[in-house]
Amino acid sequence: MSRTLVDRLVNPNLIPLKPYESARRLYSGGQDWLNANESPFANDYTVNSSRFNRYPACQPDSVVKGYADYAGVTTEQLIVTRGADEGIELLIRTFCTPGKDSILICPPTYGMYAISAETCDVGIKKVPLNADFSLDVPAICATNEVKLVFICSPNNPTGTRVERADLEAVLTHFGDSALVVVDEAYIEFDADSSWVSELDNYANLVVLRTLSKAFGLAGLRCGFTLASADIIQALLKVIAPYPIPEPCAQIAAQALSDTGIVQMQEQVAYLQAEKQRLLDALQSRPGISWVGDIQANFVLFRFEQSSELMAFLVSHGMLIRDQSKQLNLNHCLRATVGSQEQNARLLDLIDQYIAQTGVSA
Ligand SMILES: *Cc1c(COP(=O)(O)O)cnc(C)c1O
């Protein structure tokens, strides 16, 4: 049988890949979305269309300045991207030669590091987290020939924070050979643990940030890569000329205003309280055990009948995220902390499932 035109022309490294499938694409029709660690708050913004006939700035001043002030860096130490996901891809495209270089990841962790590496034909070296989800520092430092080391803190999906001494050891070990990328997508939920203040001490440190989680703007697609001015200059060679649409720039600037930041902090405080309540309630249910930590805006738990429970929740329009295929996370499900009503509904559905099936402790 002759191969189709696309099969003959497509990059060979793409052949095994499949288009990204979010839980939402798989189960359309859900009403409660506790699957993607989004905020339950949809805040109001205004948009001024008077400049929509013009291309936007590559790096809109108001957003660069707003985020630099918020994060405590200079405007030269930051690049605005279409979500942190674009920052991940830019780093790989800027620092890794396809077919030759590799990144290092520590599973179980966020999936986009591997996906971006695969689409760019860049190798992936995996050093699994220890049983307590801490970094396996000796094994990481024994891994040669990597250009980028991705470390997520708080980590998605375990909710754990990286130990400072561990990350210091990794930064020092790779000081001359690789960039260490600390993904702080959830840092507002673990505010005292940021690595941004270390940027001046480690030339190979890169920090990823986003407006998608605590700021409640996943729909905006706006993220930030923070690093030395040299690293940022290299990334600016690769980024598209007009990556940030004008309406997104306007909205991001409002989110980063003083009132926007106060609002975000109030919403984080609400979610932190809800998170503790959700964890306590889940742990009191028979058969449910807490896994990892709660430094982010989700709770990870193990339940023997995880796939049956997942199917039951889906059939009632409640989406959480099945993590059971991730390394060392058999039977684990991850629930984003939602509004009080959503969390109560999740618990109610779990109780219904347990009552129907007679799970005992
Ligand atoms: C959600 C998430 C991101 C993606 O952020 P975007 O800005 O929406 O692209 C990056 N890293 C981690 C760990 C995440 O959980």
Side-chain angles (χ1 to χ4, degrees):
M1 205 174 70
S2 75
R3 293 156 71 218
T4 67
L5 181 67
V6 170
D7 284 347
R8 280 182 285 119
L9 297 182
V10 73
N11 286 340
N13 62 298
L14 299 180
I15 291 169
L17 306 185
K18 294 195 189 72
Y20 185 80
E21 282 188 331
S22 63
R24 209 165 301 155
R25 227 198 271 179
L26 292 173
Y27 315 108
S28 56
Q31 38 172 304
D32 284 308
W33 291 347
L34 301 181
N35 60 301
N37 302 339
E38 297 149 330
S39 171
F41 298 102
N43 302 311
D44 280 328
Y45 299 95
T46 55
V47 172
N48 169 353
S49 64
S50 63
R51 287 178 304 195
F52 285 3
N53 57 320
R54 303 296 177 195
Y55 285 106
C58 175
Q59 293 288 292
D61 282 338
S62 56
V63 184
V64 171
K65 178 84 171 49
Y67 204 84
D69 286 350
Y70 166 67
V73 297
T74 68
T75 53
E76 289 75 36
Q77 288 176 304
L78 167 165
I79 181 172
V80 191
T81 57
R82 288 166 290 199
D85 282 352
E86 187 185 32
I88 294 166
E89 189 182 291
L90 273 183
L91 284 160
I92 291 174
R93 288 169 57 212
T94 304
F95 292 102
C96 298
T97 303
K100 175 171 167 278
D101 289 333
S102 296
I103 66 164
L104 188 159
I105 63 171
C106 301
T109 192
Y110 185 53
M112 285 309 292
Y113 317 133
I115 291 174
S116 281
E118 283 166 350
T119 59
C120 294
D121 196 19
V122 162
I124 302 160
K125 298 189 179 180
K126 295 181 184 172
V127 178
L129 296 174
N130 294 319
D132 64 356
F133 305 123
S134 61
L135 295 181
D136 185 347
V137 177
I140 292 172
C141 295
T143 308
N144 299 319
E145 316 244 339
V146 296
K147 286 283 192 74
L148 299 170
V149 177
F150 284 95
I151 290 171
C152 190
S153 185
N155 186 38
N156 177 6
T158 60
T160 47
R161 170 201 301 148
V162 69
E163 288 290 335
R164 289 200 90 80
D166 287 353
L167 193 44
E168 272 160 17
V170 171
L171 279 161
T172 303
H173 175 81
F174 290 101
D176 289 328
S177 62
L179 301 186
V180 176
V181 184
V182 182
D183 185 340
E184 294 189 344
Y186 300 97
I187 199 64
E188 286 82 7
F189 299 96
D190 187 22
D192 297 332
S193 298
S194 175
W195 283 79
V196 165
S197 62
E198 299 291 332
L199 283 174
D200 292 333
N201 300 330
Y202 295 99
N204 62 333
L205 173 62
V206 178
V207 176
L208 294 173
R209 295 286 193 86
T210 181
L211 298 187
S212 297
K213 306 287 161 55
F215 281 91
L217 285 169
L220 199 64
R221 309 308 301 127
C222 188
F224 303 87
T225 301
L226 285 55
S228 72
D230 285 353
I231 293 173
I232 298 303
Q233 282 303 314
L235 298 174
L236 284 167
K237 296 182 185 186
V238 180
I239 199 167
Y242 312 110
I244 310 300
E246 175 66 27
C248 299
Q250 292 180 18
I251 291 167
Q254 291 163 51
L256 293 166
S257 68
D258 291 346
T259 49
I261 289 169
V262 167
Q263 174 179 257
M264 177 276 288
Q265 287 166 339
E266 288 167 1
Q267 294 174 350
V268 165
Y270 170 98
L271 291 170
Q272 299 285 49
E274 276 302 303
K275 175 169 69 180
Q276 191 60 53
R277 283 160 42 111
L278 179 63
L279 173 64
D280 294 346
L282 284 170
Q283 281 191 292
S284 73
R285 266 57 182 184
I288 289 185
S289 55
W290 177 29
V291 176
D293 204 348
I294 51 164
Q295 304 300 341
N297 65 340
F298 50 80
V299 178
L300 184 68
F301 62 93
R302 183 170 277 120
F303 185 69
E304 199 54 35
Q305 301 173 26
S306 58
S307 51
E308 292 85 354
L309 174 60
M310 189 69 197
F312 177 83
L313 295 175
V314 166
S315 73
H316 288 82
M318 168 66 69
L319 293 191
I320 63 173
R321 184 75 186 257
D322 189 350
Q323 296 287 348
S324 57
K325 295 206 174 61
Q326 286 245 38
L327 187 71
N328 297 332
L329 297 185
N330 289 338
H331 301 292
C332 285
L333 302 176
R334 186 194 70 197
T336 305
V337 179
S339 65
Q340 212 166 71
E341 297 72 34
Q342 290 174 316
N343 303 332
R345 187 158 180 269
L346 171 63
L347 290 165
D348 186 51
L349 287 168
I350 289 175
D351 286 341
Q352 284 179 36
Y353 177 84
I354 290 174
Q356 276 176 24
T357 55
V359 177
S360 57

